Amino acid sequence: MSSSASDTTSDSTSDEPPGLRTGTLGTADISFFVVSAAAPLTVMAGVAPIALVLGGIGAPAGYLLAGITLAVFAVGFTTMSRHVRSGGAFYAYITRGLGKPVGIAAALVAMVGYNGMEIGVYGLLGTATADTAHALWGVDLPWLPIALAGLLLIWYGGFRSIDFGAKLLGVLLVAETGILVLLAAGVLLKGGAHGLSLASFAPGNVLVPGTAAVLAFAFSAFTGFESTVIYRREARDPARTIPRATYIAVGFLGLFYAFVVWTVIQAFGDDKVVEAAAGDTGGLFFTAITTYVGGWAADLMHVFIVTSIIASLLAFHNAINRYGLALAEEGVLPAALGRIHHRHRSPYVAGVAQTVLGAVIVLGFAAAGADPYTQLLLWVNTPGMLGLMALMLLAALAVVRYFRRVPHREGALRTLVAPALAAVLLTVALWLVASKVDLFTGASRTVNAVLVAVVPAVFVLGLLLALRLRRTRPEVYAHFAAEPAQPADLTQAADPVRPATSAQPAATSTEGADPACPPHPTSSSSTPASAPRT
């Protein structure tokens, strides 16, 4: 259905509130959202040099290992996406597998995690834009007005329709990845500093003490790839689109990160790159692209780092808004957050609330005289990163338990082996990041302890909230993360072996007893009950 037809339907149906614009996003669109959230250019130019200093020339293998781990996680994650049609993403999966108390706690962790990943980055936007202005024009700009302007810009991007956001992110992502491809091409065409070498992947250079630190940085570089399922309602044929976008995102990021870091090593040579990275961590990529492509390319890289940050902010902002919408529909958050704009079909009230929260935190740090990078970015971003990694671990465990409890036709590799292995690998990854948190923050031991404690503290608060909801609002608790209504004829069409009369009601759920595994959904089965059916 076209956007204009969808809008007409929404506007002409006065007795039904508008829903999200369904059937809008294809595989490429969703991939743009999740890859943009990872901010590849910012991760490479800003973080990869540190990984080289800590792990040596074996750093590219660290990104490959992290990508493989998350690809294993994606196997069970995407398999379960065919069985869970709720808009709640992580918390819906965790609720299905581990029960409502853990699911509600996970919802709280998700809100804190995604907000932490976005709001802290406004400090980076301020400093990166100021650095770019100084490098290109010799102008010194204060970071706070830039961050506040960024808040307004990101609010507007989230307020507009989801297809507008997808197109914008597509352009920005092509720009930031394109400049890295240009750098790599320049290095390869000129043969690097001393010829091309594959020593980065030799076991002797990978299996070194610094690899643990590299892995910690590498896992953080993928943050946001799992948000594909958040866009289920707006996806075309989500049973196929969501898994494809997830695999494309994690596969692209893992291979691209490893390739770019390897080419930068070739630019300086195996024997000189660590020294160069230690001597000019922030300028390593700029030096390389100036040498192999030209100063004009370095100027473009400065600009594209800013647009990379903007793309990441918009991607996380959209994800947060849809989590807020889902929790408002659950009755956990105020109902006003569930309002959808009649024209743009966006969760605009949730977007306003998220923008206000971001402004309060940014202004609070500024009023305290905090550094926008070392404190606003790192202190807010680190708990967010840990929170999302913890959610992935819980989701992997939920996949195993869910498929042990319901009838299904999936193979053991997808429902047991891969998710169980992912749970083990993610436990190791989470431990690595938590134990190396000082590398991310550069803060005192006390500050680091507080930052690491945020996620378990929020999780415990979520468990307490779940108990309170069960006691004081049992109807909200009973329907938490319930499947959206699905017409009987669609159920029968989706699974012809199973008669339509056997379809489970959407709200059937008791503690410890989930409904039978739903059939594979079609693109129309993801339409929320509140949206007009066309």
Side-chain angles (χ1 to χ4, degrees):
M1 178 183 293
S2 67
S3 298
S4 59
S6 179
D7 292 343
T8 302
T9 303
S10 176
D11 293 339
S12 62
T13 310
S14 59
D15 57 340
E16 290 188 60
L20 294 173
R21 183 169 287 154
T22 59
T24 300
L25 302 178
T27 300
D29 299 320
I30 298 174
S31 299
F32 287 152
F33 274 104
V34 298
V35 175
S36 295
L41 176 55
T42 304
V43 165
M44 289 288 93
V47 180
I50 303 174
L52 284 168
V53 172
L54 296 173
I57 64 172
Y63 288 95
L64 283 179
L65 291 172
I68 291 170
T69 297
L70 296 177
V72 173
F73 165 77
V75 172
F77 187 61
T78 56
T79 299
M80 196 166 178
S81 74
R82 297 199 292 264
H83 299 261
V84 178
R85 294 176 294 115
S86 169
F90 265 145
Y91 78 72
Y93 288 53
I94 293 168
T95 300
R96 290 286 189 282
L98 304 179
K100 288 188 176 69
V102 179
I104 293 171
L108 207 59
V109 171
M111 290 300 292
V112 170
Y114 278 104
N115 273 287
M117 289 302 299
E118 191 213 17
I119 294 172
V121 176
Y122 284 108
L124 178 60
L125 176 64
T127 57
T129 305
D131 289 345
T132 295
H134 182 80
L136 298 184
W137 305 295
V139 177
D140 292 320
L141 299 177
W143 73 271
L144 182 58
I146 298 170
L148 295 177
L151 278 158
L152 293 176
L153 178 64
I154 298 305
W155 163 80
Y156 179 74
F159 172 72
R160 290 293 301 271
S161 62
I162 192 68
D163 51 335
F164 169 84
K167 291 181 176 66
L168 177 60
L169 289 178
V171 172
L172 298 181
L173 183 62
V174 168
E176 66 174 300
T177 56
I179 196 69
L180 289 171
V181 170
L182 185 63
L183 166 60
V187 173
L188 295 179
L189 288 174
K190 294 183 179 180
H194 311 295
L196 303 180
S197 164
L198 294 178
S200 291
F201 304 100
N205 291 321
V206 175
L207 302 176
V208 296
T211 300
V214 173
L215 286 170
F217 281 101
F219 279 108
S220 69
F222 288 80
T223 306
F225 92 91
E226 75 294 330
S227 60
T228 50
V229 294
I230 295 174
Y231 300 101
R232 181 180 184 85
R233 294 185 183 184
E234 295 150 296
R236 294 193 296 268
D237 194 6
R240 293 181 176 87
T241 303
I242 298 299
R244 287 174 182 170
T246 305
Y247 285 120
I248 288 172
V250 71
F252 171 80
L253 289 173
L255 294 173
F256 189 67
Y257 286 153
F259 171 68
V260 170
V261 176
W262 174 76
T263 57
V264 169
I265 293 172
Q266 306 314 300
F268 293 89
D270 293 340
D271 57 339
K272 298 292 185 181
V273 68
V274 174
E275 180 183 351
D280 187 16
T281 303
L284 186 72
F285 273 65
F286 296 100
T287 300
I289 201 168
T290 299
T291 301
Y292 287 89
V293 182
W296 63 270
D299 292 343
L300 276 181
M301 182 175 282
H302 275 291
V303 174
F304 289 160
I305 281 181
V306 175
T307 60
S308 169
I309 296 168
I310 291 172
S312 178
L313 285 166
L314 179 57
F316 274 113
H317 180 72
N318 277 310
I320 294 163
N321 292 350
R322 279 147 185 81
Y323 256 111
L325 170 67
L327 288 172
E329 292 174 341
E330 302 278 11
V332 175
L333 293 180
L337 296 178
R339 293 177 186 169
I340 296 174
H341 195 270
H342 71 282
R343 179 183 176 188
H344 298 304
R345 308 289 282 273
S346 61
Y348 71 105
V349 178
V352 170
Q354 201 281 327
T355 302
V356 170
L357 175 63
V360 168
I361 293 176
V362 168
L363 289 170
F365 271 81
D371 184 87
Y373 184 90
T374 61
Q375 293 175 313
L376 174 55
L377 171 67
L378 300 180
W379 290 11
V380 177
N381 199 253
T382 298
M385 174 182 62
L386 291 169
L388 295 188
M389 293 186 69
L391 288 173
M392 282 192 278
L393 172 57
L394 289 174
L397 295 172
V399 171
V400 174
R401 190 158 186 258
Y402 174 82
F403 284 112
R404 302 279 71 75
R405 297 166 59 197
V406 300
H408 62 86
R409 300 172 182 175
E410 309 286 357
L413 177 64
R414 290 178 169 274
T415 61
L416 177 61
V417 177
L421 177 59
V424 173
L425 294 174
L426 286 167
T427 299
V428 174
L430 187 58
W431 175 80
L432 280 175
V433 173
S435 65
K436 304 290 183 181
V437 72
D438 58 306
L439 298 177
F440 293 92
T441 67
S444 67
R445 182 174 297 181
T446 301
V447 170
N448 288 333
V450 171
L451 296 178
V452 172
V454 167
V455 173
V458 170
F459 187 80
V460 171
L461 287 175
L463 293 176
L464 296 176
L465 173 62
L467 296 176
R468 182 179 179 185
L469 284 174
R470 185 166 62 183
R471 184 178 69 255
T472 62
R473 302 175 66 191
E475 71 288 349
V476 171
Y477 183 85
H479 291 83
F480 184 79
E483 287 289 86
Q486 178 172 307
D489 58 335
L490 287 179
T491 303
Q492 190 173 25
D495 191 351
V497 178
R498 182 176 170 184
T501 54
S502 68
Q504 297 291 331
T508 302
S509 181
T510 57
E511 191 64 40
D514 286 334
C517 175
H520 293 188
T522 63
S523 59
S524 57
S525 71
S526 62
T527 305
S530 62
R533 299 190 182 278
T534 56

